[in-house]
Amino acid sequence: MGADLEYAEPAAEARQSLVRAIVAEGGLSDPAWRAAFEEVPRHLFVPYYFVVRGGTYERLWREDPDPVRRSQWLRGAYKDGPLATRVRDGELISSSSQPSLMARMLEELGIQDGHSVLEIGAGTGYNAALLAHRLGDDLVTTVDVDPEITESARTHLAAAGYHPAVITGDGARGCPERAPFDRIIATCTLASVPFDWLPQCRPGARILAPLFTGLIALRVSDGSRGRTAEGNFLRTSAYFVPLRGGGHAPEGRTGGLPRRAAENELFRFLLTLTAGSLDPHEALSLWERERRPQRDRFGVTVSGHHQWAWLDDPEGPYAWPLGRPAG
């Protein structure tokens, strides 16, 4: 209780400052999401996290006996940046995402009252708390394959007063026992869209997920080809911890390419999207011919047991099969 009293006032001030910064950049235009970010205490979800110093991970935590380091921990919890929250054998396996990107993703979901939401990747539980604040506990399900992650997320959520369903399981398989869902949001990077998600969605559902280094927004529908999902990438980039067990994104080879292209983030996105289908030099020719397209000109279609990426038009001349789907 003493620690909670110590942090209550400075944490509230830090939340307000974070929200003002996100709003100033054009985020949180929906009052419901602004209220969630103002009221959900992020510091309760990151009782410790790691910062890189001198090439190694150093821990900041709320129980540090040094008051200066405790103050650093609290300030860092409300910076608009990602936080490394779980490291194993020197490898980052879980993190708390950048708040402004979380706000963008939540608003892009187009959530309405009464929607049931599945989150893939429980992380710290903070994103599930934001969803539960907006929708209520009963309509939110979060899944993670790691029992240590789900247990800590459950503990953090309870400390903040939220009790959504926290399930330990393979996120690539969704959560059929809690389906159907109106929205699915992933907070881990995919190498392809899991087919198991589509039958768990209601028609008209929306899926928002990091795919390679972009964010794909798919609309689920029933049609002559059966259940399909289709949509464009958002323009923004996105870098998340990979979905464990969900395969790895193919590496786009850059050997022999001009440096200006090999080091360009948008071209590397195209290389990954077309890996296995286009030779890197063919990808470069396409990129230059199409005037270096932004991410939002690309899209993905999932239908039957196939999925493919495309430029401008899913039925157009530029389309490439995606890799082996997760699950």
Side-chain angles (χ1 to χ4, degrees), residues 5 13 22 26 38 54 58 63 72-73 94 118 124 145 151-152 157 182 210 217 275 279 321 323:
L5 291 175
E13 293 175 357
I22 296 174
E38 288 175 336
E58 177 183 328
E63 304 298 336
Q72 290 177 335
W73 162 79
S94 186
L118 171 63
T124 65
V145 72
E151 181 59 31
S152 64
L157 283 157
D182 299 287
D279 174 270

mmCIF file with all atom_site columns, all heavy atoms in Angstrom, residues 5 13 22 26 38 54 58 63 72-73 94 118 124 145 151-152 157 182 210 217 275 279 321 323:
data_model
loop_
_atom_site.group_PDB
_atom_site.id
_atom_site.type_symbol
_atom_site.label_atom_id
_atom_site.label_alt_id
_atom_site.label_comp_id
_atom_site.label_asym_id
_atom_site.label_entity_id
_atom_site.label_seq_id
_atom_site.pdbx_PDB_ins_code
_atom_site.Cartn_x
_atom_site.Cartn_y
_atom_site.Cartn_z
_atom_site.occupancy
_atom_site.B_iso_or_equiv
_atom_site.pdbx_formal_charge
_atom_site.auth_seq_id
_atom_site.auth_comp_id
_atom_site.auth_asym_id
_atom_site.auth_atom_id
_atom_site.pdbx_PDB_model_num
ATOM 1   N N   . LEU A 1 5   ? 0.820   4.421   -2.662  1.00 0.00 ? 5   LEU A N   1
ATOM 2   C CA  . LEU A 1 5   ? 0.648   5.823   -2.305  1.00 0.00 ? 5   LEU A CA  1
ATOM 3   C C   . LEU A 1 5   ? 1.821   6.663   -2.813  1.00 0.00 ? 5   LEU A C   1
ATOM 4   O O   . LEU A 1 5   ? 1.635   7.798   -3.249  1.00 0.00 ? 5   LEU A O   1
ATOM 5   C CB  . LEU A 1 5   ? 0.513   5.957   -0.786  1.00 0.00 ? 5   LEU A CB  1
ATOM 6   C CG  . LEU A 1 5   ? -0.776  5.407   -0.172  1.00 0.00 ? 5   LEU A CG  1
ATOM 7   C CD1 . LEU A 1 5   ? -0.723  5.492   1.345   1.00 0.00 ? 5   LEU A CD1 1
ATOM 8   C CD2 . LEU A 1 5   ? -1.991  6.156   -0.703  1.00 0.00 ? 5   LEU A CD2 1
ATOM 9   N N   . GLU A 1 13  ? 0.052   12.215  -12.901 1.00 0.00 ? 13  GLU A N   1
ATOM 10  C CA  . GLU A 1 13  ? 0.583   13.344  -13.675 1.00 0.00 ? 13  GLU A CA  1
ATOM 11  C C   . GLU A 1 13  ? 1.296   12.844  -14.932 1.00 0.00 ? 13  GLU A C   1
ATOM 12  O O   . GLU A 1 13  ? 1.162   13.434  -16.010 1.00 0.00 ? 13  GLU A O   1
ATOM 13  C CB  . GLU A 1 13  ? 1.539   14.155  -12.806 1.00 0.00 ? 13  GLU A CB  1
ATOM 14  C CG  . GLU A 1 13  ? 0.861   14.874  -11.651 1.00 0.00 ? 13  GLU A CG  1
ATOM 15  C CD  . GLU A 1 13  ? 1.864   15.567  -10.735 1.00 0.00 ? 13  GLU A CD  1
ATOM 16  O OE1 . GLU A 1 13  ? 3.088   15.419  -10.986 1.00 0.00 ? 13  GLU A OE1 1
ATOM 17  O OE2 . GLU A 1 13  ? 1.425   16.236  -9.783  1.00 0.00 ? 13  GLU A OE2 1
ATOM 18  N N   . ILE A 1 22  ? 0.388   12.160  -26.958 1.00 0.00 ? 22  ILE A N   1
ATOM 19  C CA  . ILE A 1 22  ? -0.232  11.349  -28.011 1.00 0.00 ? 22  ILE A CA  1
ATOM 20  C C   . ILE A 1 22  ? -1.276  12.156  -28.766 1.00 0.00 ? 22  ILE A C   1
ATOM 21  O O   . ILE A 1 22  ? -1.356  12.112  -30.000 1.00 0.00 ? 22  ILE A O   1
ATOM 22  C CB  . ILE A 1 22  ? -0.846  10.075  -27.405 1.00 0.00 ? 22  ILE A CB  1
ATOM 23  C CG1 . ILE A 1 22  ? 0.243   9.184   -26.805 1.00 0.00 ? 22  ILE A CG1 1
ATOM 24  C CG2 . ILE A 1 22  ? -1.620  9.293   -28.474 1.00 0.00 ? 22  ILE A CG2 1
ATOM 25  C CD1 . ILE A 1 22  ? -0.281  7.974   -26.056 1.00 0.00 ? 22  ILE A CD1 1
ATOM 26  N N   . GLY A 1 26  ? -1.868  13.698  -32.932 1.00 0.00 ? 26  GLY A N   1
ATOM 27  C CA  . GLY A 1 26  ? -3.053  13.318  -33.705 1.00 0.00 ? 26  GLY A CA  1
ATOM 28  C C   . GLY A 1 26  ? -3.725  12.039  -33.248 1.00 0.00 ? 26  GLY A C   1
ATOM 29  O O   . GLY A 1 26  ? -4.672  11.580  -33.892 1.00 0.00 ? 26  GLY A O   1
ATOM 30  N N   . GLU A 1 38  ? -5.970  7.620   -19.967 1.00 0.00 ? 38  GLU A N   1
ATOM 31  C CA  . GLU A 1 38  ? -5.847  8.498   -18.809 1.00 0.00 ? 38  GLU A CA  1
ATOM 32  C C   . GLU A 1 38  ? -6.025  7.750   -17.491 1.00 0.00 ? 38  GLU A C   1
ATOM 33  O O   . GLU A 1 38  ? -5.444  8.136   -16.470 1.00 0.00 ? 38  GLU A O   1
ATOM 34  C CB  . GLU A 1 38  ? -6.886  9.627   -18.895 1.00 0.00 ? 38  GLU A CB  1
ATOM 35  C CG  . GLU A 1 38  ? -6.585  10.668  -19.950 1.00 0.00 ? 38  GLU A CG  1
ATOM 36  C CD  . GLU A 1 38  ? -7.696  11.689  -20.088 1.00 0.00 ? 38  GLU A CD  1
ATOM 37  O OE1 . GLU A 1 38  ? -8.864  11.393  -19.730 1.00 0.00 ? 38  GLU A OE1 1
ATOM 38  O OE2 . GLU A 1 38  ? -7.410  12.800  -20.566 1.00 0.00 ? 38  GLU A OE2 1
ATOM 39  N N   . GLY A 1 54  ? 25.420  -0.215  -22.172 1.00 0.00 ? 54  GLY A N   1
ATOM 40  C CA  . GLY A 1 54  ? 26.694  -0.882  -22.357 1.00 0.00 ? 54  GLY A CA  1
ATOM 41  C C   . GLY A 1 54  ? 26.576  -2.215  -23.066 1.00 0.00 ? 54  GLY A C   1
ATOM 42  O O   . GLY A 1 54  ? 27.389  -3.120  -22.838 1.00 0.00 ? 54  GLY A O   1
ATOM 43  N N   . GLU A 1 58  ? 19.827  -3.936  -18.471 1.00 0.00 ? 58  GLU A N   1
ATOM 44  C CA  . GLU A 1 58  ? 19.859  -3.535  -17.068 1.00 0.00 ? 58  GLU A CA  1
ATOM 45  C C   . GLU A 1 58  ? 18.423  -3.338  -16.580 1.00 0.00 ? 58  GLU A C   1
ATOM 46  O O   . GLU A 1 58  ? 17.603  -2.737  -17.276 1.00 0.00 ? 58  GLU A O   1
ATOM 47  C CB  . GLU A 1 58  ? 20.651  -2.235  -16.904 1.00 0.00 ? 58  GLU A CB  1
ATOM 48  C CG  . GLU A 1 58  ? 20.688  -1.694  -15.480 1.00 0.00 ? 58  GLU A CG  1
ATOM 49  C CD  . GLU A 1 58  ? 21.424  -0.372  -15.397 1.00 0.00 ? 58  GLU A CD  1
ATOM 50  O OE1 . GLU A 1 58  ? 22.365  -0.174  -16.192 1.00 0.00 ? 58  GLU A OE1 1
ATOM 51  O OE2 . GLU A 1 58  ? 21.051  0.459   -14.553 1.00 0.00 ? 58  GLU A OE2 1
ATOM 52  N N   . GLU A 1 63  ? 10.747  -1.575  -6.785  1.00 0.00 ? 63  GLU A N   1
ATOM 53  C CA  . GLU A 1 63  ? 11.186  -1.851  -5.420  1.00 0.00 ? 63  GLU A CA  1
ATOM 54  C C   . GLU A 1 63  ? 12.675  -1.548  -5.217  1.00 0.00 ? 63  GLU A C   1
ATOM 55  O O   . GLU A 1 63  ? 13.242  -1.932  -4.188  1.00 0.00 ? 63  GLU A O   1
ATOM 56  C CB  . GLU A 1 63  ? 10.917  -3.318  -5.069  1.00 0.00 ? 63  GLU A CB  1
ATOM 57  C CG  . GLU A 1 63  ? 9.462   -3.740  -5.233  1.00 0.00 ? 63  GLU A CG  1
ATOM 58  C CD  . GLU A 1 63  ? 8.514   -2.982  -4.327  1.00 0.00 ? 63  GLU A CD  1
ATOM 59  O OE1 . GLU A 1 63  ? 8.972   -2.481  -3.279  1.00 0.00 ? 63  GLU A OE1 1
ATOM 60  O OE2 . GLU A 1 63  ? 7.319   -2.886  -4.666  1.00 0.00 ? 63  GLU A OE2 1
ATOM 61  N N   . GLN A 1 72  ? 13.441  6.949   -11.934 1.00 0.00 ? 72  GLN A N   1
ATOM 62  C CA  . GLN A 1 72  ? 13.732  6.625   -13.337 1.00 0.00 ? 72  GLN A CA  1
ATOM 63  C C   . GLN A 1 72  ? 12.768  5.572   -13.855 1.00 0.00 ? 72  GLN A C   1
ATOM 64  O O   . GLN A 1 72  ? 12.288  5.664   -14.995 1.00 0.00 ? 72  GLN A O   1
ATOM 65  C CB  . GLN A 1 72  ? 15.172  6.123   -13.463 1.00 0.00 ? 72  GLN A CB  1
ATOM 66  C CG  . GLN A 1 72  ? 16.232  7.177   -13.257 1.00 0.00 ? 72  GLN A CG  1
ATOM 67  C CD  . GLN A 1 72  ? 17.629  6.582   -13.321 1.00 0.00 ? 72  GLN A CD  1
ATOM 68  O OE1 . GLN A 1 72  ? 17.832  5.398   -13.064 1.00 0.00 ? 72  GLN A OE1 1
ATOM 69  N NE2 . GLN A 1 72  ? 18.611  7.403   -13.663 1.00 0.00 ? 72  GLN A NE2 1
ATOM 70  N N   . TRP A 1 73  ? 12.507  4.557   -13.016 1.00 0.00 ? 73  TRP A N   1
ATOM 71  C CA  . TRP A 1 73  ? 11.567  3.502   -13.413 1.00 0.00 ? 73  TRP A CA  1
ATOM 72  C C   . TRP A 1 73  ? 10.191  4.090   -13.725 1.00 0.00 ? 73  TRP A C   1
ATOM 73  O O   . TRP A 1 73  ? 9.590   3.763   -14.765 1.00 0.00 ? 73  TRP A O   1
ATOM 74  C CB  . TRP A 1 73  ? 11.452  2.464   -12.281 1.00 0.00 ? 73  TRP A CB  1
ATOM 75  C CG  . TRP A 1 73  ? 10.235  1.610   -12.398 1.00 0.00 ? 73  TRP A CG  1
ATOM 76  C CD1 . TRP A 1 73  ? 10.052  0.545   -13.224 1.00 0.00 ? 73  TRP A CD1 1
ATOM 77  C CD2 . TRP A 1 73  ? 9.006   1.789   -11.686 1.00 0.00 ? 73  TRP A CD2 1
ATOM 78  N NE1 . TRP A 1 73  ? 8.777   0.038   -13.079 1.00 0.00 ? 73  TRP A NE1 1
ATOM 79  C CE2 . TRP A 1 73  ? 8.120   0.785   -12.134 1.00 0.00 ? 73  TRP A CE2 1
ATOM 80  C CE3 . TRP A 1 73  ? 8.581   2.697   -10.711 1.00 0.00 ? 73  TRP A CE3 1
ATOM 81  C CZ2 . TRP A 1 73  ? 6.818   0.670   -11.642 1.00 0.00 ? 73  TRP A CZ2 1
ATOM 82  C CZ3 . TRP A 1 73  ? 7.278   2.594   -10.220 1.00 0.00 ? 73  TRP A CZ3 1
ATOM 83  C CH2 . TRP A 1 73  ? 6.420   1.577   -10.684 1.00 0.00 ? 73  TRP A CH2 1
ATOM 84  N N   . SER A 1 94  ? 9.309   -10.718 -24.584 1.00 0.00 ? 94  SER A N   1
ATOM 85  C CA  . SER A 1 94  ? 8.043   -10.033 -24.339 1.00 0.00 ? 94  SER A CA  1
ATOM 86  C C   . SER A 1 94  ? 8.324   -8.567  -24.054 1.00 0.00 ? 94  SER A C   1
ATOM 87  O O   . SER A 1 94  ? 9.365   -8.222  -23.487 1.00 0.00 ? 94  SER A O   1
ATOM 88  C CB  . SER A 1 94  ? 7.296   -10.662 -23.161 1.00 0.00 ? 94  SER A CB  1
ATOM 89  O OG  . SER A 1 94  ? 6.002   -10.091 -23.014 1.00 0.00 ? 94  SER A OG  1
ATOM 90  N N   . LEU A 1 118 ? -10.574 -10.551 -29.316 1.00 0.00 ? 118 LEU A N   1
ATOM 91  C CA  . LEU A 1 118 ? -9.509  -11.494 -29.005 1.00 0.00 ? 118 LEU A CA  1
ATOM 92  C C   . LEU A 1 118 ? -8.177  -10.802 -29.235 1.00 0.00 ? 118 LEU A C   1
ATOM 93  O O   . LEU A 1 118 ? -7.919  -10.282 -30.321 1.00 0.00 ? 118 LEU A O   1
ATOM 94  C CB  . LEU A 1 118 ? -9.610  -12.733 -29.903 1.00 0.00 ? 118 LEU A CB  1
ATOM 95  C CG  . LEU A 1 118 ? -8.437  -13.722 -29.831 1.00 0.00 ? 118 LEU A CG  1
ATOM 96  C CD1 . LEU A 1 118 ? -8.319  -14.336 -28.440 1.00 0.00 ? 118 LEU A CD1 1
ATOM 97  C CD2 . LEU A 1 118 ? -8.577  -14.803 -30.893 1.00 0.00 ? 118 LEU A CD2 1
ATOM 98  N N   . THR A 1 124 ? 2.230   -7.719  -21.015 1.00 0.00 ? 124 THR A N   1
ATOM 99  C CA  . THR A 1 124 ? 2.095   -7.352  -19.605 1.00 0.00 ? 124 THR A CA  1
ATOM 100 C C   . THR A 1 124 ? 0.653   -7.359  -19.123 1.00 0.00 ? 124 THR A C   1
ATOM 101 O O   . THR A 1 124 ? 0.394   -7.320  -17.930 1.00 0.00 ? 124 THR A O   1
ATOM 102 C CB  . THR A 1 124 ? 2.660   -5.944  -19.367 1.00 0.00 ? 124 THR A CB  1
ATOM 103 O OG1 . THR A 1 124 ? 1.845   -5.000  -20.076 1.00 0.00 ? 124 THR A OG1 1
ATOM 104 C CG2 . THR A 1 124 ? 4.100   -5.836  -19.834 1.00 0.00 ? 124 THR A CG2 1
ATOM 105 N N   . VAL A 1 145 ? 1.163   -18.047 -25.345 1.00 0.00 ? 145 VAL A N   1
ATOM 106 C CA  . VAL A 1 145 ? 1.627   -19.434 -25.246 1.00 0.00 ? 145 VAL A CA  1
ATOM 107 C C   . VAL A 1 145 ? 2.455   -19.687 -23.985 1.00 0.00 ? 145 VAL A C   1
ATOM 108 O O   . VAL A 1 145 ? 2.581   -20.829 -23.539 1.00 0.00 ? 145 VAL A O   1
ATOM 109 C CB  . VAL A 1 145 ? 2.441   -19.795 -26.509 1.00 0.00 ? 145 VAL A CB  1
ATOM 110 C CG1 . VAL A 1 145 ? 3.796   -19.100 -26.504 1.00 0.00 ? 145 VAL A CG1 1
ATOM 111 C CG2 . VAL A 1 145 ? 2.613   -21.308 -26.639 1.00 0.00 ? 145 VAL A CG2 1
ATOM 112 N N   . GLU A 1 151 ? 0.394   -15.691 -16.455 1.00 0.00 ? 151 GLU A N   1
ATOM 113 C CA  . GLU A 1 151 ? 0.229   -15.565 -15.004 1.00 0.00 ? 151 GLU A CA  1
ATOM 114 C C   . GLU A 1 151 ? 0.557   -14.148 -14.532 1.00 0.00 ? 151 GLU A C   1
ATOM 115 O O   . GLU A 1 151 ? -0.180  -13.563 -13.728 1.00 0.00 ? 151 GLU A O   1
ATOM 116 C CB  . GLU A 1 151 ? 1.121   -16.578 -14.285 1.00 0.00 ? 151 GLU A CB  1
ATOM 117 C CG  . GLU A 1 151 ? 1.013   -16.537 -12.776 1.00 0.00 ? 151 GLU A CG  1
ATOM 118 C CD  . GLU A 1 151 ? -0.401  -16.788 -12.271 1.00 0.00 ? 151 GLU A CD  1
ATOM 119 O OE1 . GLU A 1 151 ? -1.149  -17.532 -12.933 1.00 0.00 ? 151 GLU A OE1 1
ATOM 120 O OE2 . GLU A 1 151 ? -0.762  -16.225 -11.205 1.00 0.00 ? 151 GLU A OE2 1
ATOM 121 N N   . SER A 1 152 ? 1.655   -13.576 -15.042 1.00 0.00 ? 152 SER A N   1
ATOM 122 C CA  . SER A 1 152 ? 1.996   -12.213 -14.635 1.00 0.00 ? 152 SER A CA  1
ATOM 123 C C   . SER A 1 152 ? 0.989   -11.206 -15.181 1.00 0.00 ? 152 SER A C   1
ATOM 124 O O   . SER A 1 152 ? 0.618   -10.248 -14.486 1.00 0.00 ? 152 SER A O   1
ATOM 125 C CB  . SER A 1 152 ? 3.413   -11.856 -15.075 1.00 0.00 ? 152 SER A CB  1
ATOM 126 O OG  . SER A 1 152 ? 3.536   -11.845 -16.484 1.00 0.00 ? 152 SER A OG  1
ATOM 127 N N   . LEU A 1 157 ? -3.309  -7.331  -14.187 1.00 0.00 ? 157 LEU A N   1
ATOM 128 C CA  . LEU A 1 157 ? -4.687  -6.917  -14.464 1.00 0.00 ? 157 LEU A CA  1
ATOM 129 C C   . LEU A 1 157 ? -5.500  -6.838  -13.178 1.00 0.00 ? 157 LEU A C   1
ATOM 130 O O   . LEU A 1 157 ? -6.248  -5.871  -12.954 1.00 0.00 ? 157 LEU A O   1
ATOM 131 C CB  . LEU A 1 157 ? -5.324  -7.894  -15.450 1.00 0.00 ? 157 LEU A CB  1
ATOM 132 C CG  . LEU A 1 157 ? -4.896  -7.721  -16.911 1.00 0.00 ? 157 LEU A CG  1
ATOM 133 C CD1 . LEU A 1 157 ? -5.113  -9.014  -17.702 1.00 0.00 ? 157 LEU A CD1 1
ATOM 134 C CD2 . LEU A 1 157 ? -5.682  -6.579  -17.559 1.00 0.00 ? 157 LEU A CD2 1
ATOM 135 N N   . ASP A 1 182 ? -15.702 -10.245 -32.741 1.00 0.00 ? 182 ASP A N   1
ATOM 136 C CA  . ASP A 1 182 ? -15.928 -9.143  -33.676 1.00 0.00 ? 182 ASP A CA  1
ATOM 137 C C   . ASP A 1 182 ? -14.621 -8.483  -34.102 1.00 0.00 ? 182 ASP A C   1
ATOM 138 O O   . ASP A 1 182 ? -14.555 -7.856  -35.157 1.00 0.00 ? 182 ASP A O   1
ATOM 139 C CB  . ASP A 1 182 ? -16.816 -8.080  -33.025 1.00 0.00 ? 182 ASP A CB  1
ATOM 140 C CG  . ASP A 1 182 ? -18.186 -8.621  -32.652 1.00 0.00 ? 182 ASP A CG  1
ATOM 141 O OD1 . ASP A 1 182 ? -18.988 -8.835  -33.570 1.00 0.00 ? 182 ASP A OD1 1
ATOM 142 O OD2 . ASP A 1 182 ? -18.420 -8.836  -31.445 1.00 0.00 ? 182 ASP A OD2 1
ATOM 143 N N   . PRO A 1 210 ? 0.391   -7.122  -36.794 1.00 0.00 ? 210 PRO A N   1
ATOM 144 C CA  . PRO A 1 210 ? 1.686   -6.853  -37.416 1.00 0.00 ? 210 PRO A CA  1
ATOM 145 C C   . PRO A 1 210 ? 2.068   -8.018  -38.331 1.00 0.00 ? 210 PRO A C   1
ATOM 146 O O   . PRO A 1 210 ? 2.105   -9.171  -37.900 1.00 0.00 ? 210 PRO A O   1
ATOM 147 C CB  . PRO A 1 210 ? 2.646   -6.772  -36.216 1.00 0.00 ? 210 PRO A CB  1
ATOM 148 C CG  . PRO A 1 210 ? 1.772   -6.573  -35.018 1.00 0.00 ? 210 PRO A CG  1
ATOM 149 C CD  . PRO A 1 210 ? 0.503   -7.303  -35.337 1.00 0.00 ? 210 PRO A CD  1
ATOM 150 N N   . ALA A 1 217 ? -4.678  -4.624  -41.911 1.00 0.00 ? 217 ALA A N   1
ATOM 151 C CA  . ALA A 1 217 ? -6.052  -4.499  -41.429 1.00 0.00 ? 217 ALA A CA  1
ATOM 152 C C   . ALA A 1 217 ? -6.961  -5.269  -42.382 1.00 0.00 ? 217 ALA A C   1
ATOM 153 O O   . ALA A 1 217 ? -7.113  -4.884  -43.547 1.00 0.00 ? 217 ALA A O   1
ATOM 154 C CB  . ALA A 1 217 ? -6.471  -3.033  -41.358 1.00 0.00 ? 217 ALA A CB  1
ATOM 155 N N   . ALA A 1 275 ? 9.527   -12.275 -50.842 1.00 0.00 ? 275 ALA A N   1
ATOM 156 C CA  . ALA A 1 275 ? 10.572  -13.296 -50.727 1.00 0.00 ? 275 ALA A CA  1
ATOM 157 C C   . ALA A 1 275 ? 10.053  -14.652 -51.193 1.00 0.00 ? 275 ALA A C   1
ATOM 158 O O   . ALA A 1 275 ? 8.959   -15.072 -50.843 1.00 0.00 ? 275 ALA A O   1
ATOM 159 C CB  . ALA A 1 275 ? 11.052  -13.391 -49.277 1.00 0.00 ? 275 ALA A CB  1
ATOM 160 N N   . ASP A 1 279 ? 12.907  -12.312 -57.456 1.00 0.00 ? 279 ASP A N   1
ATOM 161 C CA  . ASP A 1 279 ? 14.336  -12.084 -57.264 1.00 0.00 ? 279 ASP A CA  1
ATOM 162 C C   . ASP A 1 279 ? 14.510  -10.650 -56.747 1.00 0.00 ? 279 ASP A C   1
ATOM 163 O O   . ASP A 1 279 ? 13.751  -9.755  -57.122 1.00 0.00 ? 279 ASP A O   1
ATOM 164 C CB  . ASP A 1 279 ? 15.045  -12.256 -58.607 1.00 0.00 ? 279 ASP A CB  1
ATOM 165 C CG  . ASP A 1 279 ? 16.504  -11.899 -58.524 1.00 0.00 ? 279 ASP A CG  1
ATOM 166 O OD1 . ASP A 1 279 ? 16.842  -10.711 -58.743 1.00 0.00 ? 279 ASP A OD1 1
ATOM 167 O OD2 . ASP A 1 279 ? 17.312  -12.802 -58.232 1.00 0.00 ? 279 ASP A OD2 1
ATOM 168 N N   . PRO A 1 321 ? 2.325   -15.167 -53.360 1.00 0.00 ? 321 PRO A N   1
ATOM 169 C CA  . PRO A 1 321 ? 1.894   -16.009 -52.251 1.00 0.00 ? 321 PRO A CA  1
ATOM 170 C C   . PRO A 1 321 ? 2.702   -15.727 -50.998 1.00 0.00 ? 321 PRO A C   1
ATOM 171 O O   . PRO A 1 321 ? 3.911   -15.469 -51.087 1.00 0.00 ? 321 PRO A O   1
ATOM 172 C CB  . PRO A 1 321 ? 2.138   -17.430 -52.755 1.00 0.00 ? 321 PRO A CB  1
ATOM 173 C CG  . PRO A 1 321 ? 3.187   -17.285 -53.822 1.00 0.00 ? 321 PRO A CG  1
ATOM 174 C CD  . PRO A 1 321 ? 2.957   -15.942 -54.452 1.00 0.00 ? 321 PRO A CD  1
ATOM 175 N N   . GLY A 1 323 ? 4.144   -16.912 -47.169 1.00 0.00 ? 323 GLY A N   1
ATOM 176 C CA  . GLY A 1 323 ? 4.771   -18.142 -46.680 1.00 0.00 ? 323 GLY A CA  1
ATOM 177 C C   . GLY A 1 323 ? 3.800   -19.037 -45.961 1.00 0.00 ? 323 GLY A C   1
ATOM 178 O O   . GLY A 1 323 ? 2.607   -18.749 -45.835 1.00 0.00 ? 323 GLY A O   1
#
